[in-house]
Amino acid sequence: MTRIYLETGAKKTFACSLEWPGWCRSGRTEEAAIEALMSYAPRYRVVAERAGVAFEPGDPVVVERVKGGATTDFGAPEKPAAADLEPVPAEVAARDVALMRAAWELFDETVAHSPEELRKGPRGGGRDRDKMAGHVIDAERNYARQVGVRFKPYTSAAERDALREELAALLARPSSPPWPFKWAPRYAARRVTWHVLDHVWEMEDRRQ
C-alpha cells in the first residue's frame, strides 16, 4: 500500500505520501487530491529512478488527516504529519536526501532545457522560466532557515550549491526530537522536495 496523509484547508486538500518526499498533489476534495496524487506516480518514478530507489507504489491508504490553514488554501502543504515528528533512522534520512538531490538535479536540467518564455495559463498568468527558477531558489533559502541553515541572498550558483550541500548534510543525519529548529527534518525534506518538483512539473507542462 501507499501510506498517505491528507492536509485539508477551507478550499483545498493535499494528499501526500509519507514514504516518498515530494510526491504530494492537491485537489478541491479529498478524492480529487488522492486522484491527482496517483496520476503523478509515473512522473515521480523518474525522481525515484534518478535516486536509485525502487518505486512500486500500491493502493493509497489514508493513515492521517491534518488540519491545514491559509497556506494550504494558497497552494502549499504547511503541516507536518505525525510520522514527521518521530525519530529519523539513518537509512530513512539518507533515502529522503537521495530523493531530494534527485529533485534538484531534475530541476536544474529542466531549467536548462526550457525556453525563457513559457506557455501562459488559461487566464494568461504564470511565471516565465527565469522568474520561476528564482522563486524556487529563494524559497529554498527561506525553507533552509527553518532548520538552521542560513545563507544571505546568493551572488553565484556556487553559493546556492553550498546551501544545498549544507542542507543535505543536515537532513541526512539520523536524529530524534526535540530538534533545535522550527521544522522537523523529515518535514523539511518533504517541503523542499515538493516545492522543487511542483515547479519542475509546471515548467515541463508549460514548455510544450
Side-chain angles (χ1 to χ4, degrees):
M1 67 179 182
T2 295
R3 297 192 308 147
I4 67 173
Y5 71 95
L6 301 176
E7 178 183 319
T8 301
K11 301 177 182 178
K12 185 172 292 189
T13 294
F14 277 89
C16 302
S17 167
L18 284 172
E19 283 82 16
W20 299 99
W23 189 23
C24 184
R25 306 310 297 162
S26 66
R28 291 185 179 274
T29 65
E30 290 187 357
E31 294 77 11
I34 294 170
E35 182 179 352
L37 178 74
M38 300 311 293
S39 75
Y40 270 70
R43 301 181 85 164
Y44 194 88
R45 186 182 303 280
V46 175
V47 184
E49 289 176 349
R50 176 69 66 96
V53 182
F55 181 67
E56 298 296 338
D59 293 335
V61 176
V62 178
V63 298
E64 185 181 357
R65 287 176 168 84
V66 299
K67 184 178 180 181
T71 300
T72 314
D73 289 329
F74 181 75
E78 65 168 322
K79 302 292 185 181
D84 293 334
L85 307 179
E86 297 173 355
V88 186
E91 62 272 16
V92 171
R95 181 177 176 277
D96 284 354
V97 168
L99 292 161
M100 184 173 68
R101 286 186 181 278
W104 282 334
E105 291 177 8
L106 288 168
F107 174 75
D108 292 344
E109 291 174 9
T110 303
V111 171
H113 293 95
S114 296
E116 162 57 17
E117 186 173 344
L118 300 173
R119 179 171 52 81
K120 302 302 181 185
R123 297 182 180 179
R127 300 179 181 92
D128 284 326
R129 182 199 63 199
D130 289 352
K131 286 188 176 180
M132 191 186 303
H135 162 72
V136 171
I137 291 167
D138 287 343
E140 198 165 85
R141 190 168 56 83
N142 291 330
Y143 293 164
R145 285 206 297 267
Q146 308 308 311
V147 290
V149 176
R150 299 181 181 277
F151 274 64
K152 294 180 180 179
Y154 307 131
T155 60
S156 68
E159 291 179 357
R160 179 208 64 183
D161 292 344
L163 177 138
R164 286 180 174 179
E165 289 303 315
E166 187 172 334
L167 180 61
L170 173 73
L171 299 182
R173 300 171 192 156
S175 62
S176 298
W179 290 286
F181 29 72
K182 184 175 180 180
W183 283 1
R186 291 211 76 192
Y187 174 72
R190 190 187 317 284
R191 181 72 176 267
V192 169
T193 309
W194 165 78
H195 194 241
V196 170
L197 291 178
D198 190 53
H199 288 291
V200 166
W201 294 332
E202 179 189 358
M203 199 175 297
E204 288 175 345
D205 291 343
R206 291 180 52 221
R207 71 185 180 188
Q208 296 174 358

